Amino acid sequence: MNAAIRAVVRCGIEAGMTVYGIERGYEGLIDGDFVEMDRRYVGDILQRGGTILKTARSSRFMTEEGIARAVRNLETFRIEALVVIGGDGSFAGALKLAEQHGIAVMGIPATIDNDLGYTDITIGFDTAVNTVLDAITRIRDTSSSHERTTVVEVMGRDCGDIALYSGMAGGAEIVLLPEIQTDMSEVCRKVLESVNSGKKHSVIVRAEGFYLSSREVVDIIRERTGRDVKLVVLSYIQRGGAPSFRDRMFATECGVKTIELLQSGIVNKAMGMSSGAVMGFDLKEALQVETVFQQELYDSLDVLSK
Ligand code: F6P
C-alpha cells in the first residue's frame, strides 16, 4: 500500500495537486485526521509493508451520522477527489460516497486475499503467497526429517487463493479451501495413499475459512491415520514484511494511473489489472464482478501431488 501512496502523492504533486493523507481510513475521514503530504513525506516507504497512513475497521462509517461527518470534512478540506486503497468493504464505502453524496472517488485494490473479481491481482497477494511459500519451504525440512504430516493454516476467510496458490507452488499434497467442502475421509485416504506410495511426509495447506477448524482437521487425521500431525498457524506473518517486486510494481502503477485518470477528469474508477495492463474499471461494475474459482488449478494439484 505504501508504494501506491507514494505514487499518488508524487504524481499528484507533479500534476499540480495538493495531496492529503487521511489516517486510519474512514475513521480518520470522520475525525478529520487529514495530513498534507509532500514528496519527502512518502520517502523511504516503498520497501515497507503495512501502510504509513494506518488502517482501521470503521463501524461509524456504516451509520448516516458517520457518513455525514466524513462528507463535511471532505468539504472543509475542499477535497476534489478521494482515493481509497482497500478491499471490497472499502470500495463499497467509496461507492456510497460517490452515489449518495456526489464525491469523486477512485479505488486502488489492496487485499492479501485476492478476492476482487474484476482484477487479476490485488496489492499484497503476491507478497503474502511468497511469505507462505517461504514458510512451507522451512516447514518441509522438519516435516520430512520427522516423517510427519503438517497442516499449515493460512489466511482467507471466504477466498482460498492464498492457500490454493501457495499449495500449488509449494508442492502441498492437499489444500483445504472455503470454496470446497472436502470430506475428511478423502483427506485421510490421500494421506495414507501418499504414505503407501513412498512419500515420507505430507503438507496440507488449510485456508482459515475451510468449514472445519485447523484443530479439527489435525485431530481427525491423527485419529484416523495414526500419523504424527503438526499444526502451524501463519496468521499475521502473512500480512507483513517487505513487498515483493510484483506488488511494488502493481501498487505503483495503480497510483500512477489514478492520477493520470484524475487529470483527464475521469472519476469513480477502480484500478485493476487485466491481461497484464493496469487500467481503470467502473467502480460500481467492478464491485459486482464475482470472483471465479480456479477449478482447473485445484484439480491439477491432485495430479501433481501424487
Ligand atoms: O486481509 C484480509 C484478511 O487477511 C482475511 O483473510 C482474514 O480473515 C482477516 O484479514 C483477518 O484480519 P483481522 O484479524 O485484522 O480482522
Side-chain angles (χ1 to χ4, degrees), residues 77-102:
F77 281 84
R78 298 170 53 202
I79 303 296
E80 290 170 68
L82 178 70
V83 180
V84 173
I85 307 175
D88 55 354
S90 310
F91 279 15
L95 187 63
K96 203 166 183 182
L97 285 172
E99 287 186 332
Q100 296 180 8
H101 302 277

mmCIF file of all heavy atoms in Angstrom, residues 77-102:
data_model
loop_
_atom_site.group_PDB
_atom_site.id
_atom_site.type_symbol
_atom_site.label_atom_id
_atom_site.label_comp_id
_atom_site.label_asym_id
_atom_site.label_seq_id
_atom_site.Cartn_x
_atom_site.Cartn_y
_atom_site.Cartn_z
ATOM 1 N N PHE A 77 -12.009 20.487 3.876
ATOM 2 C CA PHE A 77 -10.644 20.464 3.321
ATOM 3 C C PHE A 77 -10.649 20.689 1.798
ATOM 4 O O PHE A 77 -9.613 20.638 1.176
ATOM 5 C CB PHE A 77 -9.954 19.140 3.667
ATOM 6 C CG PHE A 77 -9.436 19.095 5.088
ATOM 7 C CD1 PHE A 77 -10.273 18.746 6.135
ATOM 8 C CD2 PHE A 77 -8.114 19.426 5.374
ATOM 9 C CE1 PHE A 77 -9.801 18.712 7.443
ATOM 10 C CE2 PHE A 77 -7.632 19.389 6.679
ATOM 11 C CZ PHE A 77 -8.484 19.044 7.729
ATOM 12 N N ARG A 78 -11.822 20.920 1.271
ATOM 13 C CA ARG A 78 -12.003 21.166 -0.172
ATOM 14 C C ARG A 78 -11.348 20.069 -1.021
ATOM 15 O O ARG A 78 -10.587 20.339 -1.951
ATOM 16 C CB ARG A 78 -11.486 22.555 -0.531
ATOM 17 C CG ARG A 78 -12.298 23.602 0.234
ATOM 18 C CD ARG A 78 -11.790 24.998 0.182
ATOM 19 N NE ARG A 78 -11.557 25.497 -1.151
ATOM 20 C CZ ARG A 78 -10.721 26.510 -1.400
ATOM 21 N NH1 ARG A 78 -10.058 27.082 -0.403
ATOM 22 N NH2 ARG A 78 -10.566 26.950 -2.609
ATOM 23 N N ILE A 79 -11.654 18.843 -0.620
ATOM 24 C CA ILE A 79 -11.109 17.679 -1.339
ATOM 25 C C ILE A 79 -11.928 17.478 -2.621
ATOM 26 O O ILE A 79 -13.154 17.374 -2.574
ATOM 27 C CB ILE A 79 -11.188 16.403 -0.459
ATOM 28 C CG1 ILE A 79 -10.451 16.609 0.874
ATOM 29 C CG2 ILE A 79 -10.670 15.186 -1.207
ATOM 30 C CD1 ILE A 79 -8.968 16.845 0.780
ATOM 31 N N GLU A 80 -11.227 17.406 -3.741
ATOM 32 C CA GLU A 80 -11.938 17.254 -5.017
ATOM 33 C C GLU A 80 -12.052 15.796 -5.448
ATOM 34 O O GLU A 80 -12.898 15.460 -6.278
ATOM 35 C CB GLU A 80 -11.222 18.071 -6.094
ATOM 36 C CG GLU A 80 -11.393 19.576 -5.864
ATOM 37 C CD GLU A 80 -10.490 20.387 -6.769
ATOM 38 O OE1 GLU A 80 -10.730 20.380 -7.984
ATOM 39 O OE2 GLU A 80 -9.546 20.997 -6.257
ATOM 40 N N ALA A 81 -11.187 14.952 -4.924
ATOM 41 C CA ALA A 81 -11.292 13.516 -5.234
ATOM 42 C C ALA A 81 -10.670 12.717 -4.092
ATOM 43 O O ALA A 81 -9.661 13.121 -3.524
ATOM 44 C CB ALA A 81 -10.575 13.198 -6.544
ATOM 45 N N LEU A 82 -11.316 11.599 -3.780
ATOM 46 C CA LEU A 82 -10.857 10.747 -2.682
ATOM 47 C C LEU A 82 -10.335 9.430 -3.255
ATOM 48 O O LEU A 82 -11.048 8.739 -3.983
ATOM 49 C CB LEU A 82 -12.036 10.470 -1.736
ATOM 50 C CG LEU A 82 -11.775 9.565 -0.538
ATOM 51 C CD1 LEU A 82 -10.868 10.254 0.485
ATOM 52 C CD2 LEU A 82 -13.098 9.160 0.113
ATOM 53 N N VAL A 83 -9.083 9.106 -2.934
ATOM 54 C CA VAL A 83 -8.511 7.835 -3.395
ATOM 55 C C VAL A 83 -8.584 6.841 -2.236
ATOM 56 O O VAL A 83 -8.019 7.086 -1.172
ATOM 57 C CB VAL A 83 -7.034 8.010 -3.845
ATOM 58 C CG1 VAL A 83 -6.461 6.673 -4.322
ATOM 59 C CG2 VAL A 83 -6.919 9.074 -4.929
ATOM 60 N N VAL A 84 -9.306 5.762 -2.447
ATOM 61 C CA VAL A 84 -9.491 4.761 -1.399
ATOM 62 C C VAL A 84 -8.646 3.529 -1.732
ATOM 63 O O VAL A 84 -8.768 2.965 -2.821
ATOM 64 C CB VAL A 84 -10.989 4.367 -1.291
ATOM 65 C CG1 VAL A 84 -11.179 3.210 -0.323
ATOM 66 C CG2 VAL A 84 -11.813 5.566 -0.850
ATOM 67 N N ILE A 85 -7.795 3.140 -0.794
ATOM 68 C CA ILE A 85 -6.962 1.952 -1.003
ATOM 69 C C ILE A 85 -7.484 0.857 -0.073
ATOM 70 O O ILE A 85 -7.467 1.020 1.142
ATOM 71 C CB ILE A 85 -5.476 2.248 -0.683
ATOM 72 C CG1 ILE A 85 -4.988 3.476 -1.465
ATOM 73 C CG2 ILE A 85 -4.602 1.039 -0.984
ATOM 74 C CD1 ILE A 85 -3.567 3.919 -1.110
ATOM 75 N N GLY A 86 -7.981 -0.230 -0.635
ATOM 76 C CA GLY A 86 -8.528 -1.279 0.231
ATOM 77 C C GLY A 86 -9.232 -2.362 -0.558
ATOM 78 O O GLY A 86 -9.061 -2.488 -1.776
ATOM 79 N N GLY A 87 -10.054 -3.124 0.153
ATOM 80 C CA GLY A 87 -10.771 -4.239 -0.462
ATOM 81 C C GLY A 87 -12.223 -3.901 -0.744
ATOM 82 O O GLY A 87 -12.591 -2.720 -0.831
ATOM 83 N N ASP A 88 -13.072 -4.926 -0.845
ATOM 84 C CA ASP A 88 -14.462 -4.691 -1.260
ATOM 85 C C ASP A 88 -15.253 -3.819 -0.277
ATOM 86 O O ASP A 88 -16.071 -3.001 -0.696
ATOM 87 C CB ASP A 88 -15.191 -6.009 -1.561
ATOM 88 C CG ASP A 88 -15.139 -6.991 -0.400
ATOM 89 O OD1 ASP A 88 -14.442 -6.704 0.605
ATOM 90 O OD2 ASP A 88 -15.787 -8.039 -0.499
ATOM 91 N N GLY A 89 -14.980 -3.958 1.019
ATOM 92 C CA GLY A 89 -15.688 -3.130 2.004
ATOM 93 C C GLY A 89 -15.342 -1.655 1.823
ATOM 94 O O GLY A 89 -16.226 -0.793 1.838
ATOM 95 N N SER A 90 -14.065 -1.388 1.632
ATOM 96 C CA SER A 90 -13.616 -0.010 1.434
ATOM 97 C C SER A 90 -14.194 0.561 0.137
ATOM 98 O O SER A 90 -14.616 1.719 0.072
ATOM 99 C CB SER A 90 -12.089 0.057 1.352
ATOM 100 O OG SER A 90 -11.514 -0.624 2.429
ATOM 101 N N PHE A 91 -14.226 -0.267 -0.890
ATOM 102 C CA PHE A 91 -14.757 0.173 -2.174
ATOM 103 C C PHE A 91 -16.271 0.438 -2.081
ATOM 104 O O PHE A 91 -16.790 1.374 -2.688
ATOM 105 C CB PHE A 91 -14.492 -0.876 -3.259
ATOM 106 C CG PHE A 91 -13.102 -0.835 -3.835
ATOM 107 C CD1 PHE A 91 -12.079 -0.137 -3.203
ATOM 108 C CD2 PHE A 91 -12.800 -1.490 -5.026
ATOM 109 C CE1 PHE A 91 -10.786 -0.098 -3.727
ATOM 110 C CE2 PHE A 91 -11.527 -1.455 -5.567
ATOM 111 C CZ PHE A 91 -10.514 -0.764 -4.918
ATOM 112 N N ALA A 92 -16.963 -0.387 -1.316
ATOM 113 C CA ALA A 92 -18.413 -0.184 -1.159
ATOM 114 C C ALA A 92 -18.661 1.156 -0.479
ATOM 115 O O ALA A 92 -19.593 1.891 -0.846
ATOM 116 C CB ALA A 92 -19.011 -1.325 -0.349
ATOM 117 N N GLY A 93 -17.820 1.507 0.489
ATOM 118 C CA GLY A 93 -17.930 2.812 1.155
ATOM 119 C C GLY A 93 -17.687 3.943 0.184
ATOM 120 O O GLY A 93 -18.400 4.959 0.178
ATOM 121 N N ALA A 94 -16.704 3.760 -0.680
ATOM 122 C CA ALA A 94 -16.371 4.788 -1.674
ATOM 123 C C ALA A 94 -17.542 4.987 -2.642
ATOM 124 O O ALA A 94 -17.912 6.119 -2.983
ATOM 125 C CB ALA A 94 -15.116 4.385 -2.436
ATOM 126 N N LEU A 95 -18.138 3.858 -3.049
ATOM 127 C CA LEU A 95 -19.262 3.937 -3.987
ATOM 128 C C LEU A 95 -20.438 4.688 -3.360
ATOM 129 O O LEU A 95 -21.115 5.482 -4.027
ATOM 130 C CB LEU A 95 -19.686 2.523 -4.405
ATOM 131 C CG LEU A 95 -20.733 2.435 -5.497
ATOM 132 C CD1 LEU A 95 -20.225 3.039 -6.808
ATOM 133 C CD2 LEU A 95 -21.154 0.983 -5.739
ATOM 134 N N LYS A 96 -20.634 4.460 -2.080
ATOM 135 C CA LYS A 96 -21.713 5.149 -1.364
ATOM 136 C C LYS A 96 -21.459 6.661 -1.378
ATOM 137 O O LYS A 96 -22.374 7.460 -1.618
ATOM 138 C CB LYS A 96 -21.759 4.636 0.079
ATOM 139 C CG LYS A 96 -23.087 4.816 0.738
ATOM 140 C CD LYS A 96 -23.156 3.988 2.009
ATOM 141 C CE LYS A 96 -24.545 4.127 2.626
ATOM 142 N NZ LYS A 96 -24.696 3.424 3.851
ATOM 143 N N LEU A 97 -20.229 7.051 -1.123
ATOM 144 C CA LEU A 97 -19.880 8.476 -1.137
ATOM 145 C C LEU A 97 -20.122 9.077 -2.517
ATOM 146 O O LEU A 97 -20.592 10.210 -2.652
ATOM 147 C CB LEU A 97 -18.403 8.675 -0.748
ATOM 148 C CG LEU A 97 -18.058 8.504 0.729
ATOM 149 C CD1 LEU A 97 -16.554 8.542 0.934
ATOM 150 C CD2 LEU A 97 -18.730 9.586 1.581
ATOM 151 N N ALA A 98 -19.801 8.289 -3.543
ATOM 152 C CA ALA A 98 -19.969 8.778 -4.918
ATOM 153 C C ALA A 98 -21.444 8.898 -5.286
ATOM 154 O O ALA A 98 -21.898 9.942 -5.777
ATOM 155 C CB ALA A 98 -19.264 7.838 -5.887
ATOM 156 N N GLU A 99 -22.195 7.820 -5.023
ATOM 157 C CA GLU A 99 -23.590 7.775 -5.468
ATOM 158 C C GLU A 99 -24.515 8.654 -4.635
ATOM 159 O O GLU A 99 -25.412 9.307 -5.157
ATOM 160 C CB GLU A 99 -24.098 6.327 -5.445
ATOM 161 C CG GLU A 99 -23.515 5.497 -6.575
ATOM 162 C CD GLU A 99 -24.121 4.111 -6.651
ATOM 163 O OE1 GLU A 99 -24.565 3.594 -5.610
ATOM 164 O OE2 GLU A 99 -24.149 3.552 -7.771
ATOM 165 N N GLN A 100 -24.283 8.665 -3.331
ATOM 166 C CA GLN A 100 -25.235 9.387 -2.471
ATOM 167 C C GLN A 100 -24.818 10.811 -2.151
ATOM 168 O O GLN A 100 -25.631 11.626 -1.740
ATOM 169 C CB GLN A 100 -25.444 8.600 -1.177
ATOM 170 C CG GLN A 100 -26.089 7.254 -1.449
ATOM 171 C CD GLN A 100 -26.299 6.443 -0.184
ATOM 172 O OE1 GLN A 100 -26.109 6.922 0.924
ATOM 173 N NE2 GLN A 100 -26.683 5.193 -0.365
ATOM 174 N N HIS A 101 -23.512 11.118 -2.330
ATOM 175 C CA HIS A 101 -23.059 12.463 -1.941
ATOM 176 C C HIS A 101 -22.265 13.163 -3.037
ATOM 177 O O HIS A 101 -21.710 14.237 -2.804
ATOM 178 C CB HIS A 101 -22.240 12.380 -0.648
ATOM 179 C CG HIS A 101 -23.027 11.775 0.485
ATOM 180 N ND1 HIS A 101 -23.888 12.514 1.259
ATOM 181 C CD2 HIS A 101 -23.110 10.498 0.916
ATOM 182 C CE1 HIS A 101 -24.468 11.713 2.155
ATOM 183 N NE2 HIS A 101 -24.017 10.484 1.959
ATOM 184 N N GLY A 102 -22.175 12.540 -4.194
ATOM 185 C CA GLY A 102 -21.508 13.193 -5.330
ATOM 186 C C GLY A 102 -20.013 13.407 -5.152
ATOM 187 O O GLY A 102 -19.425 14.279 -5.803
#
